[in-house]
Amino acid sequence: MDHSPYGQSFTLWRDGCPTAWQDYTDHAFVEGLRSGSLPRAAFLHYLVQDYVFLVHFARAWSLGVIKADTLDEMKSCARTVDALVNHEMALHVTTCAAADIDEATLFAATEEFETLAYTRYVMDAGLHGDYLDLMAALAPCCFGYGEIGLRLAGSAEPGTPYQDWIKTYADAGYQNTMKAVGRMMDMALERRLGPDPTLSPRWPRLQHRFATATRLESAFWDMGLRAG
């Protein structure tokens, strides 16, 4: 098992769906970011949809405050909402503003079907499941972007116009936040399922949650490429 800096729970989930995870993190859209070959129209369309996605993603993390069992879990979810709303989304606003797309237009953008499917899946996991269901559905986006950001930071072509995107997710601030989230998820699983969560009858359902969200991530990249 290739242990991740984001914790044991994520490592187990990731290694439980290796093909889906590779399809997501090695997607042609990601390669286009690395090489700089991604059409600008594809990137901007993705960025607009990702802004809409992050609005719902922040709401899902807010739901984590309600579903949490401990003060530490509540604080972790609240910090993540702050990072999404006040920091990560700033990249989208700044980049789109340079293309004459203002924040009001971003917020009001029509959702693509892939955006609808992914965001509503995550919300459904939290509304109809418990805290662990929600965390399993949220994890692929958080940690996948962390893995992608670190890999591209070390391999991107010097002239790629997508360095700002890469730096956002390779940055120490994002990486440290994800490590903290990973520790929180590990503790949440151990508290509810014991020291080896894979022995719990609940584990297959949580693995399925994670794998489904991972496939929805790949579909989100597909949606971006379609616009290019």
Side-chain angles (χ1 to χ4, degrees), residues 192-216:
R192 292 165 175 83
L193 304 184
D196 186 352
T198 63
L199 298 179
S200 168
R202 288 206 55 200
W203 185 256
R205 171 176 166 171
L206 296 174
Q207 179 65 64
H208 179 73
R209 291 277 194 199
F210 181 92
T212 300
T214 298
R215 291 194 297 272
L216 288 165

Side-chain angles (χ1 to χ4, degrees), residues 148-171:
I148 291 167
L150 281 181
R151 178 166 61 82
L152 297 193
S155 64
E157 294 292 333
T160 179
Y162 303 115
Q163 282 289 358
D164 287 346
W165 188 96
I166 295 169
K167 287 178 182 177
T168 295
Y169 299 104
D171 179 75

